[in-house]
Amino acid sequence: MSAHARVTRTRAVLALTALLASLLRGAAVAALVFVLAGAIDWAVGLERSARVVVVPTALVVGALVTFVSLWRARRALKLGAVALWIEERTPVLRYSLVTALEPAAAGAALPDLERAVQRAHWGTPVARTALFVLGMPALLLLAALALRSLLPAGVVSRMETPRAGDALEHPRSAAVAGANRLTPLVATVTPPAYTRREAVTLEEPSSIAALASSGVRLEGRGSAEGITAALGGEALEVTGTAERWHVIFAMPARAAAVRLAHGRYSRMIVLEPRPDSAPMVTLASPARDTVFREARGRLELDARATDDMGLTALWLEYIVSSGEGESFTFRSGVAARRAARNARAATLESTLRIDSLGLRPGDVIHLRAVAVDGNTATGPDTGVSETRVLRVARAGEYDSLAVEGAPPPEADASALSQRMLIQLTEELERRRPRLARKAVVEESRRIGADQARLRKRVGDIIFARLGEAESGEESGATMPRPSMTPEELLRAADEATAGEGAHALDFEGDETPVVAVNRPLLEAYNAMWAAGRELETGEPGAALPHMRTALAAIMRAREAERLYLRGRPAEVVVDLAKVRLAGDIDSASASARTPRARLSRSAAGRVERLDAALIALRTDPAAAVDSLALLRVDALAEEPRLARELAAAVDSLRAGKDATTPLARARRAAAGAPVVRAHASEWGGAW
Amino acid sequence: MGGCVVSSFIFATARYESGDWDSAPLVPPNIIDTIARYTSIDVAPTGVVVPLGSPDLARYPLVFLTGHLPVRFTRDEREQLARFIERGGMLFVDDHNHDIDGAFHKTATEEIRRTVGPLTELPNDHPLYSTFFHFPDGPPNTGHELNGWGDNLLHKHLLAVQRAGRIAVLYSNKDYSSEWGYHPDNKRFLAVDNTRFAVNIVVYALTR
Amino acid sequence: MIWLSTAARRAAGEHRVASSATLADSLAAWTLDPGADSLHVALDEPPRAAERDWLAALRRAGAVVTWSSRGITPVALTVEALNDPTGGVRASLAAPVGARVVVSDSLGVLDTVVMAGPSASLNARSVLGAARASADGPGASAALRDSLARRGAVVLGRAGWEAKFVIAALEESGWKVSARLAVAPGIFVRQGGVELDTATTGVVVALDSTAARDARAIERFVRSGGGLVLAGDAARSAGFARLAAGSAGARVRSAAISFSDSTPRRALGFYQISARADDVVPLESRDGAMAVAARRVGAGRVVQSGYDETWRWRLQGGSDSPDAHRAWWSAMAGSAAYRAAHQLPIHAEMLDPAPLAATFAAMGAPVAPERATAVPAAQPALRGWMLLALLAMLLAEWASRRLRGIS
């Protein structure tokens, strides 16, 4: 084998050695990092957020060490350096190896040099070096692994797979007699199966919020002996092994507290149940009540439902009422149905053939969508949509001259309120010369606020009729802008009422009935906007013409209203003077009244309890914290703000932090802010 | 909807969207007549109609609701009624079909349960039955309960939803709407005034 | 120099000065040192009650005690229990306009009041321990001096919505209510007995003219210390003429169509009260018309309210209106009701309701700060320097003698 070949082979051996050594070093360092973190966790207990990064950190550090080591050993890849290294350890070569590797330099002496190289042997130093280079990191790695094996199994698993609830695996435990077995405490909350949600694990919980009927398992280290648990006054069974105790219960329907006790130690956990919401159902089609000329045609049905957990079914049900006067018959049925298979949203579209219902003139159909969720824990919840009333007209109803409409109470009330606002504004305008400008503006704005409220009510009436839009003041596209002309308003109303389906009754020409009815209300709405603007700028005089226009429009809406096609009920006015005390009351005697109870949700009672707990904080902080936690349980349903502040205060106190601010806020939430008056009245009390 | 501005008592009938809310138009004047006959309560001579879904419901702390057809509250009606009851208002509902298998009863009780809570039987010794006149056997029967229509049953109890020991919703299957649905002038033809129980209901509402 | 140093000692023996910070130590020193016969305190905060009493004692012992102040904000405080089953305390403050007064109790700050006038009041649900009001320094402190034994309320009126919801408001607030509601001639809905005796009843609420049949008994009750609330048109009855704050005149219409949270009663009409006597205290007015007024009659109190449909506020108002309606009626009844007070044991030495005023009372008016001529605190230092200078001169003298010969 030539010198070159032999050096090349040696280079390969050295390179491999360097690689292995680098890997061993990296592994050893990574193992040492792991062991060090484990030792710290064993000593003081690391948070899960810190343990999660231990393994990745160890790997990164190990990789770094490997890389640096490899980099430093890169010389082993160069033939010349390897040759020099061999020369250094094989003096007999006398640089013949290095020279032989450079034929140009060797020249004619190359054969002699080759012979000299052949006579030399450097296997032993190579082997010794390899042993040494590999041995140290290998020993280090072995040592690290040995140290790892000395770590308690719980620590190793906490380092390798940190997860919620592994606090119980920490070796610092209640093995010592008399130690507190209520900490560490782990709670596992398993939602009801129908929710298909994962269980959640909490460490050292002071409160648990979960769906009502969720399964709750509290677990701690040590045996169950001597540990008691009670939920709302009822004892719970505490069981377990020598290593672990646990108690299992279901999340109650109302807020409560679980008390744990072990000797002189005690612990309280607040339970905050969350109810499963009922499904939300909307009936998109038909969009509004309708009257049919004839009982035939097709009605498109479109229902939608959503649920927080999952739906099981969605259907459309109807009730057909037939008859008149005092004699009615009813039949009900399901127009369409579908299974929802636990989907969180479902739609049901169908077509109802009107003639399939066998309807007669005068019949009324009540149609609605119903959805049921999959709540198997507390019973399925049912959600229903708004009901649509569909009526088949009677023959005589087409003669509009024969029908009087019942007056619409909304317009009546609006007219009454608008009249009053006009009176107030006129009065203000009369007093205006005697008032300061500031007072005029203030009073004008107050009237303007009332005008705005009235305008909103008129808007609600309009938009309730145009479709299912929420109040016009809050909804989006269909809301009329304040600056719309009456023509624009009517066009918006026309667009909003366009739709398919059976023809509705009561329209003139090419107007839809909703537009015909609402035209004056839309004008009133616009006039109220204008009046509101003037009132807001403190110009009551300028607002009056608009307000009178609005009133006139409302009065016209009264006359135009024809939604109730039944006859106006005959009004009977009782002659009170004639009949007053004309009856025989000899047998009458009023029974005694019994008092109403003081309101149970007594704010005063909570204030007293809070004050008592605050006083107790100075002398018995642990008991005071428990009192605050119990008060929070009581306040959860009726005073959520107080409950929130108490939660913050309890958490701060348990963590040993300053709780002054949350306690002050809790006190204000319980007692309300003090009422300050800018003068001390000579009367006292509330004045 | 005017009536007196300052009047102690205005009889209000609820108008709801889904059914024949005005099936008993003579009940209001008849009850007004009865109140005036037996008490000195300041009562308005005519009744009013108030939409169940309107904030104006709160102007009339006692509201009467009846009908034959199914009752399905709209969202506004449900909200206003819940608020009305929460603040101390009282709703008196009468099934004009007197039929516990009928659509009015089934739907109305469902809507009431959904809105304010389930109806339970009112015991026949409840103070309602002695608030003014005495009805030792509980709610007086009507001549319509056994007329062959409806469920043809004598309904022994009224139903109620109570709040803090007070009746918030009073529900009747006894068809007082038919029993009291006549012109008040026709009382003179009756041997015993069959509207006296209405006095108890109104006095209860005004004093408890 | 000797004269100067002794002159300083002479001056120090005649007149001594202390500040607020050194007052506590100085008082002991002054008391023990018979040479101190002129004492001045330069205060930048009111002295504590014990210190003030000590200064007054020194004054009485013959020392000339003067004081001056540097911008102390005078604050006075008193607290009383509200006559309301829901509890509550009223703190009355006096301080200069613009002063920022922090009101607190033993548990912390209750509120901060910026004085818009010379007096203010603060109603709080609870005040634990002593209440404190301070603008600078320790401030004024006061505590409840008595607790109130609750008496019942009697409601008289005709059956109607106002009676129903007034009784509901009072009962839900915790009042024990007896009632008599007229339904028909001779027929009343009763609850409990109408006992017009301050041993059991604290206040009578007359909602309308039907209460007038008991007008005489009610008058006796009020004059013996009971309370009366005349509501609606009750004041129109001749029987209440001697008790009412004024006549119930024309009805004033509501000034709003909705019940705002801040001024809900603007949406209510009322019978305008025309005050009859000078002792009437107007409590609530709207646009110049008096809606609620009060007066004292004998040992009792009468509150007259022209509102007759407050039930609308409860039913038609905003989300807080049932609570607000309840609180208003409870407060109105409480402000008129008989106060059956039981004195509480208090540690008077810990309270100081008007510290600056008490200082005035104990030590007279302050003097101008310039009059406080004092040996400065550096006096001991001056004496030390002078002594050093003396020694240095003696040393120099001796050294000069010794060294003269050498040169």
Side-chain angles (χ1 to χ4, degrees):
Chain A
M1 197 187 291
S2 68
H4 190 276
R6 287 183 73 190
V7 172
T8 303
R9 193 174 65 180
T10 306
R11 183 182 69 176
V13 170
L14 289 176
L16 184 63
T17 305
L19 175 66
L20 286 173
S22 299
L23 288 171
L24 282 171
R25 282 193 201 103
V29 168
L32 282 172
V33 168
F34 182 91
V35 166
L36 182 64
I40 295 172
D41 182 57
W42 188 8
V44 301
L46 286 173
E47 295 287 332
R48 185 155 57 97
S49 53
R51 286 184 276 121
V52 158
V53 300
V54 164
V55 167
T57 303
L59 289 173
V60 165
V61 169
L64 261 175
V65 166
T66 302
F67 176 76
V68 167
S69 186
L70 276 173
W71 178 258
R72 291 180 63 179
R74 65 191 184 282
R75 286 174 62 240
L77 296 175
K78 294 184 183 163
L79 265 179
V82 172
L84 279 171
W85 185 84
I86 296 170
E87 291 274 4
E88 196 179 329
R89 285 155 182 81
T90 315
V92 67
L93 283 169
R94 293 185 193 181
Y95 297 102
S96 53
L97 183 61
V98 173
T99 311
L101 288 180
E102 295 175 17
L110 183 61
D112 293 330
L113 292 169
E114 285 285 347
R115 278 194 293 278
V117 168
Q118 291 304 319
R119 285 195 293 273
H121 302 279
W122 54 79
T124 304
V126 169
R128 202 181 303 129
T129 300
L131 200 65
F132 181 75
V133 167
L134 288 173
M136 287 307 293
L139 279 173
L140 199 61
L141 179 61
L142 282 171
L145 291 172
L147 285 171
R148 182 191 176 284
S149 69
L150 292 176
L151 290 173
V155 169
V156 172
S157 68
R158 279 162 57 85
M159 290 292 122
E160 288 178 351
T161 50
R163 64 193 178 286
D166 61 8
L168 295 178
E169 293 168 19
H170 197 278
R172 285 187 304 134
S173 71
V176 178
N180 184 0
R181 269 184 267 150
L182 300 182
T183 186
L185 185 71
V186 169
T188 305
V189 182
T190 308
Y194 76 89
T195 64
R196 290 164 292 132
R197 285 186 174 176
E198 303 277 331
V200 170
T201 306
L202 305 165
E203 289 183 3
E204 307 290 6
S206 59
S207 68
I208 300 174
L211 271 179
S213 298
S214 296
V216 181
R217 178 188 169 100
L218 298 176
E219 195 173 8
R221 291 293 299 263
S223 74
E225 192 182 332
I227 296 179
T228 60
L231 170 58
E234 282 193 26
L236 298 171
E237 190 187 2
V238 183
T239 56
T241 63
E243 299 297 320
R244 296 265 201 280
W245 63 264
H246 63 261
V247 59
I248 299 174
F249 55 90
M251 177 67 77
R254 294 172 61 88
V258 171
R259 285 176 171 275
L260 301 169
H262 170 226
R264 60 190 171 88
Y265 302 105
S266 68
R267 192 159 178 166
M268 184 191 306
I269 299 158
V270 173
L271 302 178
E272 294 180 50
R274 301 262 189 269
D276 180 6
S277 307
M280 302 282 291
V281 189
T282 52
L283 187 58
S285 176
R288 65 190 68 83
D289 298 347
T290 309
V291 179
F292 297 99
R293 282 182 188 273
E294 294 167 339
R296 57 190 175 85
R298 296 155 66 91
L299 190 65
E300 300 302 320
L301 306 175
D302 181 355
R304 292 157 204 177
T306 56
D307 187 63
D308 52 350
M309 299 297 162
L311 297 160
T312 52
L314 170 64
W315 67 89
L316 289 152
E317 64 181 27
Y318 62 86
I319 302 173
V320 176
S321 308
S322 304
E324 59 182 328
E326 293 293 320
S327 176
F328 285 88
T329 57
F330 307 97
R331 53 196 166 88
S332 56
V334 173
R337 186 186 185 104
R338 64 159 287 188
R341 293 193 190 91
N342 271 332
R344 293 215 161 94
T347 337
L348 177 60
E349 291 173 357
S350 181
T351 302
L352 179 65
R353 293 179 56 84
I354 308 292
D355 39 13
S356 69
L357 295 175
L359 300 174
R360 294 191 296 273
D363 283 358
V364 179
I365 308 164
H366 288 80
L367 180 71
R368 68 175 186 175
V370 183
V372 173
D373 68 12
N375 183 349
T376 52
T378 55
D381 292 314
T382 306
V384 298
S385 69
E386 296 277 315
T387 298
R388 300 285 177 257
V389 180
L390 316 170
R391 204 166 60 80
V392 181
R394 296 181 196 279
E397 289 170 9
Y398 281 86
D399 181 3
S400 61
L401 294 175
V403 175
E404 290 178 9
E410 294 102 334
D412 270 353
S414 303
L416 186 70
S417 300
Q418 187 66 16
R419 272 202 199 93
M420 192 181 160
L421 288 178
I422 291 172
Q423 278 171 359
L424 289 172
T425 311
E426 284 169 346
E427 204 171 305
L428 175 61
E429 188 64 13
R430 270 196 298 276
R431 285 167 34 217
R432 190 175 179 170
R434 299 193 300 277
L435 295 172
R437 171 72 187 155
K438 190 178 169 203
V440 170
V441 170
E442 208 175 284
E443 184 65 31
S444 178
R445 282 190 177 153
R446 265 199 216 114
I447 299 171
D450 279 336
Q451 179 73 91
R453 279 191 204 99
L454 187 58
R455 185 194 73 228
K456 183 179 180 303
R457 279 181 60 179
V458 171
D460 285 349
I461 297 166
I462 295 169
F463 288 95
R465 294 173 184 173
L466 286 178
E468 283 310 302
E470 196 54 51
S471 157
E473 298 282 312
E474 278 113 29
S475 67
T478 55
M479 173 186 166
R481 300 184 309 277
S483 57
M484 275 186 172
T485 62
E487 289 70 29
E488 284 171 337
L489 280 169
L490 291 171
R491 202 163 32 247
D494 279 343
E495 284 164 10
T497 55
E500 298 175 3
H503 290 293
L505 198 58
D506 257 353
F507 56 89
E508 296 173 349
D510 57 356
E511 276 185 351
T512 64
V514 179
V515 174
V517 164
N518 281 306
R519 184 194 296 270
L521 280 181
L522 291 168
E523 288 175 17
Y525 186 93
N526 221 14
M528 286 178 183
W529 261 112
R533 266 201 310 271
E534 300 295 350
L535 289 166
E536 194 54 36
T537 55
E539 297 298 333
L544 276 168
H546 298 295
M547 294 170 86
R548 292 186 187 114
T549 303
L551 178 62
I554 291 170
M555 298 306 292
R556 287 203 309 279
R558 268 185 81 176
E559 303 306 320
E561 182 78 16
R562 288 199 299 278
L563 284 180
Y564 296 94
L565 302 178
R566 293 178 286 281
R568 184 198 296 266
E571 192 163 34
V572 175
V573 181
V574 178
D575 186 347
L576 293 174
K578 182 181 163 192
V579 302
R580 179 63 76 185
L581 294 172
D584 176 11
I585 57 172
D586 289 342
S587 63
S589 67
S591 59
R593 182 185 185 281
T594 51
R596 284 184 186 233
R598 183 176 183 170
L599 281 183
S600 61
R601 49 177 183 92
S602 165
R606 290 201 185 96
V607 170
E608 284 166 16
R609 288 173 62 185
L610 178 60
D611 286 347
L614 293 176
I615 292 171
L617 266 178
R618 292 176 196 153
T619 51
D620 190 350
V625 170
D626 282 352
S627 297
L628 292 172
L630 281 172
L631 182 59
R632 180 188 164 215
V633 170
D634 286 345
L636 270 169
E638 288 164 359
E639 290 188 66
R641 188 175 146 231
L642 172 60
R644 269 199 310 276
E645 303 299 349
L646 285 171
V650 166
D651 288 345
S652 296
L653 288 165
R654 284 189 173 148
K657 296 179 189 165
D658 179 27
T660 308
T661 305
L663 284 172
R665 284 206 289 258
R667 199 176 176 206
R668 191 160 272 229
V675 175
V676 177
R677 291 187 173 81
H679 59 273
S681 163
E682 54 185 294
W683 189 249
W687 279 281
Chain B
M1 187 164 24
C4 298
V5 174
V6 182
S7 241
S8 276
F9 178 61
I10 301 175
F11 190 90
T13 301
R15 194 197 88 193
Y16 53 97
E17 297 283 335
S18 67
D20 57 339
W21 56 272
D22 55 350
S23 64
L26 290 175
V27 166
N30 207 355
I31 292 180
I32 292 167
D33 177 272
T34 298
I35 298 300
R37 272 180 198 274
Y38 298 108
T39 76
S40 52
I41 290 171
D42 184 10
V43 60
T46 58
V48 299
V49 172
V50 60
L52 198 62
S54 161
D56 290 331
L57 190 69
R59 291 166 167 257
Y60 311 101
L62 173 64
V63 172
F64 171 60
L65 187 152
T66 187
H68 299 97
L69 300 180
V71 176
R72 291 290 186 212
F73 291 153
T74 64
R75 185 182 53 220
D76 286 343
E77 288 170 350
R78 203 169 287 125
E79 271 175 26
Q80 291 300 334
L81 182 59
R83 188 181 133 120
F84 173 79
I85 297 296
E86 169 78 18
R87 294 185 178 209
M90 180 171 162
L91 177 70
F92 171 42
V93 182
D94 179 64
D95 175 9
H96 208 162
N97 292 323
H98 59 89
D99 185 355
I100 56 174
D101 287 321
F104 180 94
H105 175 78
K106 287 182 177 171
T107 54
T109 52
E110 183 193 328
E111 290 296 334
I112 290 168
R113 179 184 56 76
R114 222 178 250 291
T115 306
V116 293
L119 287 160
T120 56
E121 273 186 5
L122 198 66
N124 287 346
D125 58 356
H126 190 275
L128 173 69
Y129 301 114
S130 55
T131 312
F132 193 83
F133 292 109
H134 287 261
F135 298 94
D137 299 326
N141 298 324
T142 70
H144 298 266
E145 290 180 87
L146 299 177
N147 64 2
W149 291 347
D151 56 21
N152 216 36
L153 293 171
L154 273 180
H155 306 91
K156 290 199 170 60
H157 296 274
L158 299 183
L159 306 176
V161 175
Q162 303 208 45
R163 284 277 189 274
R166 264 38 187 189
I167 297 173
V169 178
L170 182 66
Y171 185 93
S172 153
N173 288 112
K174 298 181 80 66
D175 200 0
Y176 289 116
S177 304
S178 296
E179 183 83 344
W180 301 340
Y182 58 89
H183 198 286
D185 287 348
N186 295 340
K187 273 199 184 76
R188 63 186 189 275
F189 301 120
L190 297 174
V192 176
D193 183 353
N194 61 359
T195 64
R196 294 186 310 157
F197 183 54
V199 181
N200 281 42
I201 296 173
V202 171
V203 171
Y204 182 92
L206 286 174
T207 60
R208 260 58 173 183
Chain C
M1 192 176 295
I2 292 170
W3 184 87
L4 269 176
S5 64
T6 54
R9 264 178 70 100
R10 283 200 306 275
E14 291 169 355
H15 186 74
R16 296 190 189 168
V17 178
S19 65
S20 289
T22 60
L23 179 59
D25 293 335
S26 300
L27 282 170
W30 292 348
T31 306
L32 293 171
D33 184 351
D37 54 8
S38 171
L39 308 170
H40 181 81
V41 186
L43 296 171
D44 49 26
E45 64 183 38
R48 288 172 177 69
E51 292 167 353
R52 189 172 58 238
D53 291 343
W54 198 332
L55 286 166
L58 286 171
R59 213 175 179 213
R60 284 196 291 275
V64 173
V65 180
T66 58
W67 66 287
S68 60
S69 75
R70 258 178 294 212
I72 297 178
T73 306
V75 177
L77 172 71
T78 179
V79 290
E80 60 171 349
L82 291 176
N83 196 359
D84 190 327
T86 58
V89 168
R90 178 189 172 95
S92 299
L93 310 167
V97 175
R100 198 179 164 80
V101 180
V102 177
V103 182
S104 57
D105 67 357
S106 61
L107 295 179
V109 174
L110 291 170
D111 211 341
T112 303
V113 180
V114 177
M115 303 295 292
S119 65
S121 66
L122 180 147
N123 284 16
R125 186 68 71 91
S126 80
V127 170
L128 281 181
R132 196 166 295 279
S134 62
D136 44 36
S141 58
L144 285 175
R145 294 184 177 271
D146 45 45
S147 69
L148 298 176
R150 305 286 174 218
R151 298 284 191 264
V154 169
V155 178
L156 304 172
R158 61 177 71 93
W161 298 128
E162 186 68 355
K164 169 184 173 131
F165 287 108
V166 167
I167 296 174
L170 292 174
E171 287 178 331
E172 288 165 356
S173 298
W175 288 87
K176 183 168 177 294
V177 176
S178 302
R180 190 190 67 213
L181 303 176
V183 182
I187 299 178
F188 299 90
V189 171
R190 295 178 193 273
Q191 178 173 288
V194 175
E195 295 169 12
L196 299 177
D197 181 346
T198 54
T200 53
T201 301
V203 62
V204 172
V205 179
L207 294 175
D208 49 55
S209 54
T210 58
R213 63 182 250 173
D214 297 292
R216 277 202 189 159
I218 291 172
E219 183 171 347
R220 278 197 300 275
F221 167 75
V222 171
R223 289 188 186 281
S224 66
L228 172 64
V229 175
L230 281 172
D233 65 350
R236 283 188 165 168
S237 304
F240 292 124
R242 282 199 295 267
L243 296 173
S247 56
R251 188 173 171 77
V252 175
R253 277 198 312 247
S254 55
I257 60 171
S258 56
F259 292 86
S260 72
D261 287 341
S262 54
T263 52
R265 290 183 292 284
R266 287 184 63 82
L268 295 173
F270 61 90
Y271 292 100
Q272 182 176 354
I273 300 171
S274 306
R276 285 201 193 109
D278 294 335
D279 62 348
V280 169
V281 178
L283 297 179
E284 193 173 306
S285 299
R286 190 207 302 162
D287 300 331
M290 201 155 40
V292 183
R295 66 187 284 251
R296 288 172 175 76
V297 177
R301 297 150 74 94
V302 176
V303 175
Q304 184 175 341
S305 164
Y307 295 107
D308 60 344
E309 288 196 310
T310 63
W311 63 267
R312 293 190 184 279
W313 176 13
R314 170 174 171 140
L315 264 80
Q316 296 176 245
S319 57
D320 290 337
S321 61
D323 287 339
H325 175 261
R326 211 173 280 129
W328 190 76
W329 268 104
S330 186
M332 191 152 63
S335 73
Y338 174 73
R339 288 177 74 91
H342 299 289
Q343 205 163 15
L344 289 171
I346 52 170
H347 297 289
E349 65 275 10
M350 301 183 61
L351 303 177
D352 201 358
L356 193 62
T359 305
F360 267 78
M363 300 201 299
V367 301
E370 305 82 66
R371 282 194 54 189
T373 56
V375 171
Q379 192 174 339
L382 176 62
R383 276 197 277 169
W385 280 113
M386 291 173 75
L387 184 63
L388 215 58
L390 261 171
L391 288 173
M393 282 190 287
L394 278 170
L395 192 64
E397 173 80 27
W398 176 81
S400 75
R401 287 191 193 170
R402 297 293 289 180
L403 294 171
R404 237 177 261 157
I406 297 173
S407 64

